[in-house]
Amino acid sequence: MSQRNTGVTVQAVNAQACPVREVLDRVSGKWSVQILVAAAHGPIRFTELERGIEGISRRMLTLTLRNLERDGLVTRTVHPTVPPKVEYELTSAARELHETLQRLTDWAERNRVYIAQSRAAYDVEHDKEQV
């Protein structure tokens, strides 16, 4: 059915999709996913995250944790010790998200050979077309 017949404008569709896209962009980001996976087994300290996530800078870890905290996916607890001990833990919403990420990972593992074979077949077929 064409958009003209539905009475729905492109602007209305985009306005409705924008908040969902924003959430998906945040939770599917490279560093967000790795932090959520690393923190899935209970409270974790900043330095443990920093050591456990290869390639993340201290600044990017800080910014990503702040955004995840702002989005209600991570809680930050400061323990009154010297020096202060700071731990991060997933909220119930993030634990639900982690379950979804785990199912996606399981799907990718089950289908990785199929996808590799499909890519190879596609590449062979399309290389013939370009000759």
Side-chain angles (χ1 to χ4, degrees), residues 102-120:
Q102 188 60 55
R103 285 194 302 275
L104 179 60
T105 302
D106 293 344
W107 176 90
E109 182 61 35
R110 283 192 312 276
N111 290 282
R112 67 184 173 81
V113 172
Y114 165 77
I115 291 171
Q117 291 169 342
S118 296
R119 286 177 179 172

Side-chain angles (χ1 to χ4, degrees), residues 27-86:
V27 300
S28 66
K30 175 182 179 179
W31 302 122
S32 295
V33 169
Q34 291 186 53
I35 290 169
L36 293 170
V37 169
H41 301 294
I44 189 166
R45 295 184 67 180
F46 183 92
T47 53
E48 293 173 304
L49 286 167
E50 190 176 28
R51 281 192 303 263
I53 300 174
E54 188 176 325
I56 194 167
S57 68
R58 181 171 279 245
R59 175 164 167 66
M60 186 53 65
L61 179 56
T62 299
L63 290 173
T64 306
L65 283 167
R66 264 191 215 142
N67 285 329
L68 290 171
E69 184 180 8
R70 181 174 179 243
D71 291 343
L73 298 173
V74 170
T75 57
R76 179 178 183 265
T77 304
V78 180
H79 298 280
T81 60
V82 178
K85 177 181 172 184
V86 180

